């Protein structure tokens, strides 16, 4: 397995952990209890920065264009499907945040959280089991090494030096 795919799959594990925390918050909200509004907002901020800006940014700006150049279809193909799911996820994260701004928003938060978790779990499974293996075949070792180098540059430019580690430490706090 290439370092590029290893990197993305490692980030998937962190996202899946976050979804387990989100699931617990959704359960509290469904029971009419405060899911920990400040913690939920912090989790949403994590999802926006880590899952979307960093992780999805690597895919959308680096990996997917490389895959498309190697012959994997975007429109009507797996890349287009992944991009549509990224957009759907962004909308659901926005819905969670908006729901938490309302005093009566816990049920809406719980629905958006459950929908987001289901979407992302299926999305991650598709990437890990279909798109990434397809991509490794299509790109080959040299192109994947270049993709990984660009991932590192992207991370430093978009979230900054050492921020990835800070975000993982934030996850430890949620645990």
């Amino acid at each position: 397995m290439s370092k590029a795919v290893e990197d993305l799959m490692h980030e998937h594990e962190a996202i899946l952990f976050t979804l387990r925390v989100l699931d617990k918050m959704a359960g509290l909200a469904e029971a009419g209890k405060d899911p920990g509004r400040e913690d939920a907002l912090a989790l949403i901020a994590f999802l926006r920065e880590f899952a979307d800006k960093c992780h999805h940014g690597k895919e959308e700006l680096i990996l997917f264009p490389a895959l498309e150049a190697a012959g994997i279809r975007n429109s009507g193909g797996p890349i287009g499907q992944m991009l549509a799911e990224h957009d759907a996820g962004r909308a659901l994260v926005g819905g969670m945040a908006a729901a938490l701004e309302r005093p009566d928003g816990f049920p809406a938060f719980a629905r958006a959280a459950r929908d987001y978790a289901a979407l992302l779990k299926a999305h991650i499974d598709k990437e890990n089991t279909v798109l990434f293996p397809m991509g490794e075949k299509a790109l080959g070792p040299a192109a994947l090494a270049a993709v990984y180098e660009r991932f590192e540059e992207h991370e430093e430019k978009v979230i900054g030096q050492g921020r990835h580690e800070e975000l993982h430490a934030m996850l430890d706090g949620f645990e």
Side-chain angles (χ1 to χ4, degrees):
M1 182 181 305
S2 68
K3 279 187 172 184
V5 169
E6 245 177 51
D7 184 55
L8 294 174
M9 290 178 81
H10 179 69
E11 290 174 357
H12 281 168
E13 290 303 315
I15 294 166
L16 289 169
F17 173 82
T18 307
L19 296 178
R20 289 190 292 276
V21 174
L22 185 62
D23 186 56
K24 290 178 182 177
M25 291 176 173
L28 289 169
E30 287 168 340
K33 298 177 183 172
D34 185 336
R37 190 180 305 268
E38 292 307 313
D39 285 341
L41 289 169
L43 190 88
I44 288 167
F46 174 87
L47 290 169
R48 285 179 166 155
E49 185 174 4
F50 182 81
D52 193 34
K53 191 175 180 183
C54 181
H55 178 79
H56 290 159
K58 288 177 184 177
E59 292 174 342
E60 293 174 2
L61 300 173
I62 302 163
L63 180 64
F64 294 171
L67 295 177
E68 193 170 2
I72 296 175
R73 289 181 355 154
N74 181 335
S75 181
I79 296 169
Q81 179 65 34
M82 296 301 102
L83 291 169
E85 291 175 8
H86 287 180
D87 288 342
R90 288 179 186 112
L92 288 165
V93 168
M96 285 187 278
L100 288 172
E101 297 301 318
R102 299 190 320 267
D104 64 344
F106 292 159
F109 167 79
R111 280 190 303 278
R114 297 282 192 208
D115 290 348
Y116 179 77
L119 173 75
L120 261 284
K121 287 174 189 174
H123 177 84
I124 286 170
D125 185 58
K126 286 180 237 175
E127 286 186 340
N128 286 352
T129 63
V130 178
L131 186 63
F132 293 167
M134 183 186 301
E136 285 197 304
K137 263 187 188 173
L139 293 175
L144 285 161
V147 164
Y148 180 72
E149 285 179 31
R150 293 192 58 213
F151 282 178
E152 295 293 298
E153 293 165 6
H154 171 82
E155 198 169 294
E156 189 166 323
K157 184 174 95 175
V158 171
I159 64 171
Q161 179 81 23
R163 181 64 177 152
H164 200 184
E165 291 74 19
E166 290 172 10
L167 290 168
H168 277 281
M170 185 186 298
L171 285 182
D172 293 339
F174 284 121
E175 190 167 25

